[in-house]
Structures are given as C-alpha cells and as structure tokens.
Amino acid sequence: YHEALQRVHRELEKMQSIFSSLLSISRAESGGMPVKRAVVDFSELLSEMLELYEPSDEEHGLVLQGEVAEGLQVYGNRQLLAQIISNLLDNALKYVPSGGEVRLLAHREDNRIKVVVEDGGPGIPPEMRDKVFERFARLDPSRTMAGSGLGLSLAKAFVELHHGSISIAKSSLGGSAFLLDLPAA
C-alpha cells in the first residue's frame, strides 16, 4: 500500500505541475498575469544559468559552452526570464546524446537582445518547428522522455509577455537552435 500511495502522490504532483503550467500559460497569453518588472542584468542571469546547468550537463556527458556579452539588460521579470532559459536548457539535456554539445550565446544588436540556445541533438524537422510551441506538443508521441509537452509553450508565452519572440532554426552544431529576441532595457 505504501508503494501504491507513493506512486499516486508522484502522479498528483505531476498533475499539479501540469495544471500550474497551463494556468501560467493562459494568464501570460491573456495578459492577466501580474508581472513585477524591473531592469534585469540579463548578462548576470545568463551566466548564473550556465553555472547552474554546468554540473548537470557534465553528469549527462555533455559540453556546455557560453558566450554572453557584458552589460545586457532587459526590462522584465527575472524569475520568468530564468524560466525561459531553464526550459530551453532542460530540453537540450533531454535530447542531446552523451558526448554532445550545448551552446548559449547572447549579444546586443541595436535595441534588441539576441540569445541563441543551440545543441547537437537530433534537431526538429522544419515542418514541426511551429508545432513544438503548442500545448502538449510532442514530436513523436511514442517518445519515452519525461515531460508534459508544456515547456516550450510556457517559454513562448513568457517571451511574448516580455514583448519578444522565439523561433527555431537548424543549429550549427547539427541539432536545434532556439532564437530569442528581446527588447533591451
């Protein structure tokens, strides 16, 4: 009974996480999400994210590289911006095979902050690139990877909440490149 209760508890936690993500997406898309904004040192935030993910990447046999320009600032919510980057790095951890590479690049171009999170994974076919931002999207329904299919939908909603955009291209590493474009503060 104890083992069955533990399984039920884990499933309830997953359901709660899915519900919370759906609620956040809906609020962000409808403009009903109250967001405290301030000038965020985005260079510092990205450097912290790289530092946070480095041990995890090493554990998965991946090489994580980062090139973050100094002085990048975004007017927004630090927690939501961190969630965007976290979702993209989490995906790379899931889909890039051991020995692969993940790269995070960020620079300023005119009044925009350009961020690229790219990997050497299997990539996303061009015809599926828009679909991965839909709720519960899974490239291959038979995939056994954990996840609800909400991470990229949540990332897109949070990027748009910051008046930015997110898209996907083929990575120079062979996999996918997620391209963020955010207004500079």
Side-chain angles (χ1 to χ4, degrees), residues 138-180:
R138 306 283 289 193
L139 286 182
D140 177 359
S142 66
R143 285 191 178 184
T144 57
M145 297 287 185
S148 62
L150 292 172
L152 291 176
S153 181
L154 190 62
K156 182 179 186 216
F158 288 169
V159 167
E160 290 175 351
L161 193 63
H162 285 85
H163 309 290
S165 64
I166 183 170
S167 60
I168 306 171
K170 182 155 180 67
S171 166
S172 63
L173 300 174
S176 297
F178 287 84
L179 314 168
L180 299 177

mmCIF file of all heavy atoms in Angstrom, residues 138-180:
data_model
loop_
_atom_site.group_PDB
_atom_site.id
_atom_site.type_symbol
_atom_site.label_atom_id
_atom_site.label_comp_id
_atom_site.label_asym_id
_atom_site.label_seq_id
_atom_site.Cartn_x
_atom_site.Cartn_y
_atom_site.Cartn_z
ATOM 1 N N ARG A 138 4.366 17.073 -28.690
ATOM 2 C CA ARG A 138 5.414 16.055 -28.640
ATOM 3 C C ARG A 138 5.749 15.732 -30.089
ATOM 4 O O ARG A 138 4.857 15.474 -30.888
ATOM 5 C CB ARG A 138 4.927 14.787 -27.941
ATOM 6 C CG ARG A 138 4.334 14.989 -26.543
ATOM 7 C CD ARG A 138 5.347 15.204 -25.505
ATOM 8 N NE ARG A 138 6.074 13.977 -25.247
ATOM 9 C CZ ARG A 138 6.859 13.810 -24.218
ATOM 10 N NH1 ARG A 138 7.000 14.771 -23.342
ATOM 11 N NH2 ARG A 138 7.519 12.703 -24.040
ATOM 12 N N LEU A 139 7.018 15.769 -30.439
ATOM 13 C CA LEU A 139 7.402 15.476 -31.818
ATOM 14 C C LEU A 139 7.018 14.055 -32.200
ATOM 15 O O LEU A 139 6.562 13.799 -33.287
ATOM 16 C CB LEU A 139 8.910 15.654 -32.001
ATOM 17 C CG LEU A 139 9.410 17.081 -32.047
ATOM 18 C CD1 LEU A 139 10.907 17.106 -32.270
ATOM 19 C CD2 LEU A 139 8.712 17.863 -33.131
ATOM 20 N N ASP A 140 7.244 13.157 -31.281
ATOM 21 C CA ASP A 140 6.953 11.751 -31.530
ATOM 22 C C ASP A 140 6.186 11.235 -30.328
ATOM 23 O O ASP A 140 6.746 11.109 -29.242
ATOM 24 C CB ASP A 140 8.267 10.989 -31.712
ATOM 25 C CG ASP A 140 8.070 9.508 -31.915
ATOM 26 O OD1 ASP A 140 6.913 9.046 -31.904
ATOM 27 O OD2 ASP A 140 9.087 8.810 -32.088
ATOM 28 N N PRO A 141 4.884 10.938 -30.494
ATOM 29 C CA PRO A 141 4.072 10.508 -29.353
ATOM 30 C C PRO A 141 4.619 9.265 -28.655
ATOM 31 O O PRO A 141 4.318 9.022 -27.507
ATOM 32 C CB PRO A 141 2.696 10.215 -29.961
ATOM 33 C CG PRO A 141 2.690 10.842 -31.295
ATOM 34 C CD PRO A 141 4.122 10.991 -31.730
ATOM 35 N N SER A 142 5.441 8.498 -29.345
ATOM 36 C CA SER A 142 5.973 7.279 -28.726
ATOM 37 C C SER A 142 7.235 7.539 -27.909
ATOM 38 O O SER A 142 7.775 6.622 -27.314
ATOM 39 C CB SER A 142 6.274 6.239 -29.807
ATOM 40 O OG SER A 142 7.333 6.685 -30.633
ATOM 41 N N ARG A 143 7.687 8.781 -27.899
ATOM 42 C CA ARG A 143 8.898 9.090 -27.111
ATOM 43 C C ARG A 143 8.676 8.755 -25.650
ATOM 44 O O ARG A 143 7.601 8.980 -25.100
ATOM 45 C CB ARG A 143 9.273 10.571 -27.230
ATOM 46 C CG ARG A 143 9.909 10.895 -28.555
ATOM 47 C CD ARG A 143 10.492 12.281 -28.509
ATOM 48 N NE ARG A 143 11.147 12.538 -29.791
ATOM 49 C CZ ARG A 143 11.827 13.623 -30.061
ATOM 50 N NH1 ARG A 143 11.948 14.556 -29.158
ATOM 51 N NH2 ARG A 143 12.394 13.777 -31.224
ATOM 52 N N THR A 144 9.723 8.262 -25.045
ATOM 53 C CA THR A 144 9.616 7.853 -23.654
ATOM 54 C C THR A 144 10.185 8.898 -22.706
ATOM 55 O O THR A 144 10.247 8.667 -21.513
ATOM 56 C CB THR A 144 10.362 6.516 -23.437
ATOM 57 O OG1 THR A 144 11.722 6.686 -23.850
ATOM 58 C CG2 THR A 144 9.711 5.408 -24.243
ATOM 59 N N MET A 145 10.604 10.030 -23.221
ATOM 60 C CA MET A 145 11.174 11.086 -22.385
ATOM 61 C C MET A 145 10.102 11.659 -21.459
ATOM 62 O O MET A 145 8.956 11.824 -21.856
ATOM 63 C CB MET A 145 11.729 12.225 -23.239
ATOM 64 C CG MET A 145 12.853 11.830 -24.135
ATOM 65 S SD MET A 145 14.335 11.577 -23.162
ATOM 66 C CE MET A 145 15.510 11.284 -24.443
ATOM 67 N N ALA A 146 10.521 11.969 -20.266
ATOM 68 C CA ALA A 146 9.599 12.584 -19.310
ATOM 69 C C ALA A 146 9.269 13.987 -19.772
ATOM 70 O O ALA A 146 10.047 14.634 -20.449
ATOM 71 C CB ALA A 146 10.255 12.628 -17.933
ATOM 72 N N GLY A 147 8.100 14.443 -19.401
ATOM 73 C CA GLY A 147 7.695 15.799 -19.734
ATOM 74 C C GLY A 147 6.239 15.835 -20.132
ATOM 75 O O GLY A 147 5.652 14.819 -20.507
ATOM 76 N N SER A 148 5.675 17.025 -20.059
ATOM 77 C CA SER A 148 4.247 17.182 -20.342
ATOM 78 C C SER A 148 3.988 17.810 -21.704
ATOM 79 O O SER A 148 2.849 17.896 -22.131
ATOM 80 C CB SER A 148 3.614 18.055 -19.261
ATOM 81 O OG SER A 148 4.203 19.342 -19.287
ATOM 82 N N GLY A 149 5.039 18.286 -22.373
ATOM 83 C CA GLY A 149 4.830 18.972 -23.637
ATOM 84 C C GLY A 149 4.388 20.411 -23.446
ATOM 85 O O GLY A 149 3.800 21.005 -24.337
ATOM 86 N N LEU A 150 4.671 20.979 -22.274
ATOM 87 C CA LEU A 150 4.264 22.355 -21.985
ATOM 88 C C LEU A 150 5.439 23.328 -21.870
ATOM 89 O O LEU A 150 5.235 24.532 -21.891
ATOM 90 C CB LEU A 150 3.456 22.405 -20.686
ATOM 91 C CG LEU A 150 2.086 21.741 -20.731
ATOM 92 C CD1 LEU A 150 1.476 21.693 -19.336
ATOM 93 C CD2 LEU A 150 1.171 22.470 -21.688
ATOM 94 N N GLY A 151 6.654 22.821 -21.758
ATOM 95 C CA GLY A 151 7.810 23.683 -21.513
ATOM 96 C C GLY A 151 8.026 24.755 -22.555
ATOM 97 O O GLY A 151 8.239 25.924 -22.233
ATOM 98 N N LEU A 152 7.977 24.385 -23.831
ATOM 99 C CA LEU A 152 8.209 25.373 -24.886
ATOM 100 C C LEU A 152 7.024 26.310 -25.058
ATOM 101 O O LEU A 152 7.196 27.479 -25.397
ATOM 102 C CB LEU A 152 8.559 24.681 -26.205
ATOM 103 C CG LEU A 152 9.916 23.980 -26.212
ATOM 104 C CD1 LEU A 152 10.135 23.241 -27.521
ATOM 105 C CD2 LEU A 152 11.048 24.958 -25.944
ATOM 106 N N SER A 153 5.809 25.799 -24.798
ATOM 107 C CA SER A 153 4.629 26.658 -24.837
ATOM 108 C C SER A 153 4.723 27.717 -23.744
ATOM 109 O O SER A 153 4.424 28.897 -23.966
ATOM 110 C CB SER A 153 3.368 25.802 -24.660
ATOM 111 O OG SER A 153 2.219 26.588 -24.716
ATOM 112 N N LEU A 154 5.173 27.304 -22.580
ATOM 113 C CA LEU A 154 5.358 28.222 -21.455
ATOM 114 C C LEU A 154 6.463 29.234 -21.778
ATOM 115 O O LEU A 154 6.299 30.442 -21.548
ATOM 116 C CB LEU A 154 5.700 27.430 -20.193
ATOM 117 C CG LEU A 154 5.696 28.161 -18.879
ATOM 118 C CD1 LEU A 154 4.312 28.709 -18.562
ATOM 119 C CD2 LEU A 154 6.137 27.217 -17.756
ATOM 120 N N ALA A 155 7.569 28.762 -22.343
ATOM 121 C CA ALA A 155 8.668 29.660 -22.710
ATOM 122 C C ALA A 155 8.183 30.714 -23.711
ATOM 123 O O ALA A 155 8.472 31.903 -23.561
ATOM 124 C CB ALA A 155 9.836 28.866 -23.295
ATOM 125 N N LYS A 156 7.420 30.279 -24.719
ATOM 126 C CA LYS A 156 6.917 31.219 -25.726
ATOM 127 C C LYS A 156 6.000 32.265 -25.095
ATOM 128 O O LYS A 156 6.102 33.460 -25.386
ATOM 129 C CB LYS A 156 6.168 30.470 -26.828
ATOM 130 C CG LYS A 156 5.661 31.398 -27.913
ATOM 131 C CD LYS A 156 4.948 30.644 -29.014
ATOM 132 C CE LYS A 156 4.604 31.634 -30.106
ATOM 133 N NZ LYS A 156 3.354 31.367 -30.737
ATOM 134 N N ALA A 157 5.098 31.820 -24.207
ATOM 135 C CA ALA A 157 4.183 32.761 -23.547
ATOM 136 C C ALA A 157 4.961 33.786 -22.728
ATOM 137 O O ALA A 157 4.644 34.988 -22.755
ATOM 138 C CB ALA A 157 3.191 32.001 -22.670
ATOM 139 N N PHE A 158 5.998 33.345 -22.020
ATOM 140 C CA PHE A 158 6.793 34.257 -21.200
ATOM 141 C C PHE A 158 7.632 35.201 -22.067
ATOM 142 O O PHE A 158 7.831 36.365 -21.715
ATOM 143 C CB PHE A 158 7.680 33.493 -20.229
ATOM 144 C CG PHE A 158 6.938 32.835 -19.094
ATOM 145 C CD1 PHE A 158 7.590 31.926 -18.268
ATOM 146 C CD2 PHE A 158 5.605 33.097 -18.840
ATOM 147 C CE1 PHE A 158 6.926 31.323 -17.212
ATOM 148 C CE2 PHE A 158 4.919 32.486 -17.793
ATOM 149 C CZ PHE A 158 5.596 31.596 -16.969
ATOM 150 N N VAL A 159 8.153 34.707 -23.195
ATOM 151 C CA VAL A 159 8.912 35.571 -24.111
ATOM 152 C C VAL A 159 7.996 36.665 -24.646
ATOM 153 O O VAL A 159 8.357 37.851 -24.672
ATOM 154 C CB VAL A 159 9.530 34.745 -25.265
ATOM 155 C CG1 VAL A 159 10.037 35.665 -26.374
ATOM 156 C CG2 VAL A 159 10.660 33.872 -24.757
ATOM 157 N N GLU A 160 6.790 36.284 -25.070
ATOM 158 C CA GLU A 160 5.848 37.262 -25.616
ATOM 159 C C GLU A 160 5.373 38.241 -24.546
ATOM 160 O O GLU A 160 5.110 39.402 -24.850
ATOM 161 C CB GLU A 160 4.678 36.540 -26.277
ATOM 162 C CG GLU A 160 5.120 35.843 -27.564
ATOM 163 C CD GLU A 160 4.047 34.991 -28.218
ATOM 164 O OE1 GLU A 160 2.965 34.771 -27.603
ATOM 165 O OE2 GLU A 160 4.297 34.523 -29.342
ATOM 166 N N LEU A 161 5.294 37.786 -23.304
ATOM 167 C CA LEU A 161 4.948 38.669 -22.192
ATOM 168 C C LEU A 161 6.007 39.769 -22.035
ATOM 169 O O LEU A 161 5.717 40.862 -21.567
ATOM 170 C CB LEU A 161 4.835 37.845 -20.904
ATOM 171 C CG LEU A 161 4.197 38.482 -19.695
ATOM 172 C CD1 LEU A 161 2.734 38.838 -19.972
ATOM 173 C CD2 LEU A 161 4.267 37.534 -18.507
ATOM 174 N N HIS A 162 7.238 39.473 -22.463
ATOM 175 C CA HIS A 162 8.338 40.436 -22.428
ATOM 176 C C HIS A 162 8.494 41.154 -23.771
ATOM 177 O O HIS A 162 9.540 41.740 -24.052
ATOM 178 C CB HIS A 162 9.643 39.730 -22.051
ATOM 179 C CG HIS A 162 9.718 39.377 -20.600
ATOM 180 N ND1 HIS A 162 9.176 38.224 -20.094
ATOM 181 C CD2 HIS A 162 10.234 40.053 -19.544
ATOM 182 C CE1 HIS A 162 9.381 38.183 -18.793
ATOM 183 N NE2 HIS A 162 10.015 39.288 -18.426
ATOM 184 N N HIS A 163 7.461 41.097 -24.616
ATOM 185 C CA HIS A 163 7.451 41.767 -25.923
ATOM 186 C C HIS A 163 8.568 41.275 -26.831
ATOM 187 O O HIS A 163 9.145 42.043 -27.609
ATOM 188 C CB HIS A 163 7.498 43.286 -25.774
ATOM 189 C CG HIS A 163 6.466 43.804 -24.823
ATOM 190 N ND1 HIS A 163 5.120 43.801 -25.120
ATOM 191 C CD2 HIS A 163 6.573 44.294 -23.561
ATOM 192 C CE1 HIS A 163 4.446 44.276 -24.093
ATOM 193 N NE2 HIS A 163 5.293 44.587 -23.128
ATOM 194 N N GLY A 164 8.867 39.979 -26.714
ATOM 195 C CA GLY A 164 9.902 39.380 -27.540
ATOM 196 C C GLY A 164 9.338 38.297 -28.439
ATOM 197 O O GLY A 164 8.121 38.117 -28.527
ATOM 198 N N SER A 165 10.237 37.587 -29.092
ATOM 199 C CA SER A 165 9.830 36.484 -29.953
ATOM 200 C C SER A 165 10.809 35.327 -29.778
ATOM 201 O O SER A 165 11.948 35.516 -29.348
ATOM 202 C CB SER A 165 9.778 36.921 -31.415
ATOM 203 O OG SER A 165 11.070 37.275 -31.869
ATOM 204 N N ILE A 166 10.334 34.130 -30.120
ATOM 205 C CA ILE A 166 11.161 32.934 -30.070
ATOM 206 C C ILE A 166 10.890 32.141 -31.337
ATOM 207 O O ILE A 166 9.750 32.052 -31.789
ATOM 208 C CB ILE A 166 10.882 32.095 -28.790
ATOM 209 C CG1 ILE A 166 11.816 30.879 -28.711
ATOM 210 C CG2 ILE A 166 9.425 31.688 -28.707
ATOM 211 C CD1 ILE A 166 11.762 30.144 -27.377
ATOM 212 N N SER A 167 11.952 31.599 -31.912
ATOM 213 C CA SER A 167 11.819 30.790 -33.112
ATOM 214 C C SER A 167 12.870 29.685 -33.074
ATOM 215 O O SER A 167 13.735 29.670 -32.196
ATOM 216 C CB SER A 167 11.968 31.652 -34.367
ATOM 217 O OG SER A 167 13.234 32.273 -34.380
ATOM 218 N N ILE A 168 12.779 28.789 -34.044
ATOM 219 C CA ILE A 168 13.705 27.662 -34.121
ATOM 220 C C ILE A 168 14.333 27.626 -35.497
ATOM 221 O O ILE A 168 13.667 27.840 -36.508
ATOM 222 C CB ILE A 168 12.979 26.322 -33.871
ATOM 223 C CG1 ILE A 168 12.201 26.348 -32.565
ATOM 224 C CG2 ILE A 168 13.973 25.164 -33.877
ATOM 225 C CD1 ILE A 168 11.305 25.147 -32.364
ATOM 226 N N ALA A 169 15.619 27.320 -35.526
ATOM 227 C CA ALA A 169 16.351 27.133 -36.775
ATOM 228 C C ALA A 169 17.257 25.909 -36.603
ATOM 229 O O ALA A 169 17.350 25.355 -35.506
ATOM 230 C CB ALA A 169 17.186 28.374 -37.084
ATOM 231 N N LYS A 170 17.906 25.526 -37.656
ATOM 232 C CA LYS A 170 18.885 24.442 -37.567
ATOM 233 C C LYS A 170 20.145 24.999 -36.911
ATOM 234 O O LYS A 170 20.593 26.087 -37.232
ATOM 235 C CB LYS A 170 19.207 23.889 -38.949
ATOM 236 C CG LYS A 170 20.184 22.724 -38.897
ATOM 237 C CD LYS A 170 20.039 21.843 -40.103
ATOM 238 C CE LYS A 170 21.003 20.684 -40.072
ATOM 239 N NZ LYS A 170 20.762 19.711 -39.041
ATOM 240 N N SER A 171 20.692 24.250 -35.998
ATOM 241 C CA SER A 171 21.888 24.666 -35.271
ATOM 242 C C SER A 171 23.148 24.387 -36.073
ATOM 243 O O SER A 171 23.221 23.413 -36.823
ATOM 244 C CB SER A 171 21.952 23.903 -33.937
ATOM 245 O OG SER A 171 23.221 24.032 -33.349
ATOM 246 N N SER A 172 24.144 25.213 -35.879
ATOM 247 C CA SER A 172 25.455 24.960 -36.488
ATOM 248 C C SER A 172 26.098 23.713 -35.876
ATOM 249 O O SER A 172 27.040 23.163 -36.427
ATOM 250 C CB SER A 172 26.368 26.174 -36.303
ATOM 251 O OG SER A 172 26.598 26.405 -34.921
ATOM 252 N N LEU A 173 25.538 23.245 -34.745
ATOM 253 C CA LEU A 173 26.030 22.033 -34.092
ATOM 254 C C LEU A 173 25.318 20.788 -34.622
ATOM 255 O O LEU A 173 25.615 19.677 -34.202
ATOM 256 C CB LEU A 173 25.828 22.126 -32.574
ATOM 257 C CG LEU A 173 26.524 23.286 -31.877
ATOM 258 C CD1 LEU A 173 26.124 23.357 -30.407
ATOM 259 C CD2 LEU A 173 28.026 23.153 -32.004
ATOM 260 N N GLY A 174 24.327 20.988 -35.492
ATOM 261 C CA GLY A 174 23.625 19.857 -36.081
ATOM 262 C C GLY A 174 22.216 19.642 -35.571
ATOM 263 O O GLY A 174 21.413 18.988 -36.214
ATOM 264 N N GLY A 175 21.889 20.171 -34.412
ATOM 265 C CA GLY A 175 20.560 19.990 -33.822
ATOM 266 C C GLY A 175 19.679 21.195 -34.032
ATOM 267 O O GLY A 175 19.544 21.705 -35.140
ATOM 268 N N SER A 176 19.083 21.649 -32.943
ATOM 269 C CA SER A 176 18.165 22.802 -32.987
ATOM 270 C C SER A 176 18.823 24.028 -32.378
ATOM 271 O O SER A 176 19.639 23.926 -31.471
ATOM 272 C CB SER A 176 16.906 22.489 -32.195
ATOM 273 O OG SER A 176 16.214 21.417 -32.780
ATOM 274 N N ALA A 177 18.407 25.178 -32.888
ATOM 275 C CA ALA A 177 18.831 26.465 -32.336
ATOM 276 C C ALA A 177 17.568 27.251 -32.005
ATOM 277 O O ALA A 177 16.758 27.529 -32.877
ATOM 278 C CB ALA A 177 19.677 27.235 -33.334
ATOM 279 N N PHE A 178 17.370 27.550 -30.735
ATOM 280 C CA PHE A 178 16.246 28.373 -30.291
ATOM 281 C C PHE A 178 16.740 29.812 -30.258
ATOM 282 O O PHE A 178 17.738 30.121 -29.586
ATOM 283 C CB PHE A 178 15.737 27.926 -28.923
ATOM 284 C CG PHE A 178 14.989 26.629 -28.991
ATOM 285 C CD1 PHE A 178 15.666 25.422 -28.959
ATOM 286 C CD2 PHE A 178 13.615 26.606 -29.129
ATOM 287 C CE1 PHE A 178 14.992 24.220 -29.050
ATOM 288 C CE2 PHE A 178 12.926 25.422 -29.220
ATOM 289 C CZ PHE A 178 13.605 24.214 -29.184
ATOM 290 N N LEU A 179 16.056 30.669 -30.993
ATOM 291 C CA LEU A 179 16.464 32.057 -31.151
ATOM 292 C C LEU A 179 15.508 32.961 -30.385
ATOM 293 O O LEU A 179 14.307 32.991 -30.681
ATOM 294 C CB LEU A 179 16.458 32.441 -32.623
ATOM 295 C CG LEU A 179 17.125 31.440 -33.577
ATOM 296 C CD1 LEU A 179 16.817 31.762 -35.027
ATOM 297 C CD2 LEU A 179 18.615 31.390 -33.339
ATOM 298 N N LEU A 180 16.024 33.660 -29.396
ATOM 299 C CA LEU A 180 15.223 34.615 -28.619
ATOM 300 C C LEU A 180 15.593 36.026 -29.060
ATOM 301 O O LEU A 180 16.766 36.331 -29.250
ATOM 302 C CB LEU A 180 15.523 34.489 -27.127
ATOM 303 C CG LEU A 180 15.238 33.176 -26.436
ATOM 304 C CD1 LEU A 180 15.672 33.260 -24.987
ATOM 305 C CD2 LEU A 180 13.791 32.810 -26.536
#
